[in-house]
């Protein structure tokens, strides 16, 4: 009933004491944990979820999230590049525009180019979109040649049968740099963010969460194209 009424903890310090019963934090990363019926699971995760580049989000929408508590003023500034007045929750448009340009410039400076762009044989001829495959990427065609390119700035990445991430700027960000609070167990974050950025315009194309201790595909090839 308490959860149904919207009365549930959103921070680790809210589950102290006897209000929510016994608090149990599993050690390590167990595969399965048996839980009694009606157990409330609090999973504090700093993820790279979301659709599109955070800098594209309407500043007013970010301000509404900050006012409702869905996001913090710090994240509004650091991730969305939005400057908000802490009293009125109004957006400072000029400072927001300047901050967003600064964040894009930082991406271009801090990102590491994994591989050089696959330049087209003839850049002077007309390239036409064959299919849009991503919020910011498309497959462009020029005669028999096909390449993945940025919709915004026209930067060519690679052939469709390759992983575009290998031709992006890559920036690694530790979760402790983004998370507002430590894990409930006080253990260090094991994962990290892998940001993939367009080398031409600084647009954030993708954010993956990668945990080196667990292994796996570091630059996850999550967009595989099979064209006739």
């Amino acid at each position: 009933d308490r959860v149904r009424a919207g009365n549930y903890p959103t921070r680790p310090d809210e589950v102290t004491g006897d209000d929510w019963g016994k608090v149990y934090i599993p050690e390590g990363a167990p595969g399965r944990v048996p839980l009694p019926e009606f157990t409330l699971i609090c999973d504090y995760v700093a993820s790279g979820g979301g659709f599109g580049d955070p800098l594209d989000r309407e500043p007013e929408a970010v301000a509404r999230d900050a006012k409702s508590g869905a996001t913090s003023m710090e994240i509004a500034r650091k991730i969305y590049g939005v400057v908000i007045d802490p009293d009125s929750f109004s957006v400072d448009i000029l400072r927001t525009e300047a901050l967003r340009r600064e964040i894009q410039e930082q991406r271009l400076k801090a990102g590491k180019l994994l591989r050089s762009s696959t330049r087209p044989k003839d850049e002077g001829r007309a390239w036409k979109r064959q299919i849009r495959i991503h919020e910011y990427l498309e497959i462009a065609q020029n005669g028999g040649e096909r390449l993945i390119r940025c919709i915004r700035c026209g930067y060519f990445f690679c052939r469709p049968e390759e992983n575009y991430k290998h031709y992006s700027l890559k920036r690694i960000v530790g979760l402790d740099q983004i998370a507002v609070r430590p894990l409930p167990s006080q253990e260090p974050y094991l994962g990290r963010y892998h940001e993939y950025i367009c080398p031409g315009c600084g647009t954030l194309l993708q954010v993956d969460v990668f945990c080196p201790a667990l292994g796996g595909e570091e630059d996850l090839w999550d967009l595989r194209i099979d064209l006739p």
Side-chain angles (χ1 to χ4, degrees), residues 112-182:
K112 178 182 178 182
L113 186 62
L114 300 183
R115 298 180 189 173
S116 298
S117 167
T118 302
R119 305 306 303 174
K121 297 175 182 177
D122 187 353
E123 296 186 57
R125 294 174 58 189
W127 284 79
K128 296 182 179 180
R129 174 187 296 180
Q130 183 180 18
I131 185 174
R132 183 171 183 166
I133 59 173
H134 181 282
E135 177 68 4
Y136 306 111
L137 299 176
E138 65 185 4
I139 294 179
Q141 186 169 6
N142 185 352
E145 191 177 8
R146 294 169 173 167
L147 292 171
I148 297 176
R149 85 176 166 182
C150 177
I151 293 174
R152 284 189 161 169
C153 69
Y155 183 89
F156 288 96
F157 287 80
C158 58
R159 295 183 297 275
E161 60 269 21
E162 297 180 272
N163 185 356
Y164 77 90
K165 293 178 181 176
H166 290 163
Y167 296 84
S168 305
L169 290 174
K170 180 179 178 180
R171 183 170 66 172
I172 297 177
V173 180
L175 292 184
D176 57 333
Q177 297 176 246
I178 302 296
V180 178
R181 298 177 180 86

Side-chain angles (χ1 to χ4, degrees), residues 2-227:
R2 294 172 68 181
V3 174
R4 186 181 298 112
N7 180 17
Y8 50 86
T10 58
R11 302 192 310 269
D13 57 7
E14 292 180 0
V15 296
T16 57
D18 299 326
D19 290 346
W20 290 96
K22 181 181 178 181
V23 177
Y24 170 61
I25 302 175
E27 296 182 1
R32 293 191 177 190
V33 178
L35 300 171
E37 190 175 4
F38 302 117
T39 296
L40 180 65
I41 301 174
C42 297
D43 185 18
Y44 302 96
V45 179
S47 71
F51 183 81
D53 189 330
L55 300 185
D56 289 341
R57 190 143 192 261
E58 288 293 334
E60 290 76 14
V62 178
R64 287 196 298 270
D65 284 347
K67 186 175 183 178
S68 68
T71 192
S72 66
M73 300 290 281
E74 180 183 359
I75 293 301
R77 175 184 288 270
K78 183 185 297 184
I79 302 300
Y80 293 97
V82 178
V83 180
I84 304 170
D85 183 275
D87 297 320
S88 65
F89 289 96
S90 60
V91 176
D92 188 320
I93 299 298
L94 293 180
R95 292 176 63 192
T96 293
E97 291 175 350
L99 179 58
R100 287 185 162 183
R101 288 193 298 269
E102 180 182 334
I103 291 175
Q104 280 191 312
E105 291 171 1
Q106 289 174 349
R107 290 174 180 172
L108 294 170
K109 291 179 181 178
K112 178 182 178 182
L113 186 62
L114 300 183
R115 298 180 189 173
S116 298
S117 167
T118 302
R119 305 306 303 174
K121 297 175 182 177
D122 187 353
E123 296 186 57
R125 294 174 58 189
W127 284 79
K128 296 182 179 180
R129 174 187 296 180
Q130 183 180 18
I131 185 174
R132 183 171 183 166
I133 59 173
H134 181 282
E135 177 68 4
Y136 306 111
L137 299 176
E138 65 185 4
I139 294 179
Q141 186 169 6
N142 185 352
E145 191 177 8
R146 294 169 173 167
L147 292 171
I148 297 176
R149 85 176 166 182
C150 177
I151 293 174
R152 284 189 161 169
C153 69
Y155 183 89
F156 288 96
F157 287 80
C158 58
R159 295 183 297 275
E161 60 269 21
E162 297 180 272
N163 185 356
Y164 77 90
K165 293 178 181 176
H166 290 163
Y167 296 84
S168 305
L169 290 174
K170 180 179 178 180
R171 183 170 66 172
I172 297 177
V173 180
L175 292 184
D176 57 333
Q177 297 176 246
I178 302 296
V180 178
R181 298 177 180 86
L183 291 171
S185 64
Q186 303 302 310
E187 294 176 306
Y189 287 97
L190 298 180
R192 65 193 191 193
Y193 284 154
H194 286 181
E195 297 181 345
Y196 299 92
I197 302 157
C198 174
C201 59
T203 297
L204 184 61
L205 304 171
Q206 176 73 16
V207 179
D208 293 339
V209 180
F210 180 71
C211 183
L214 298 179
E217 189 177 355
E218 183 165 341
D219 300 312
L220 182 65
W221 193 358
D222 55 351
L223 187 61
R224 295 174 183 261
I225 309 299
D226 184 12
L227 293 174

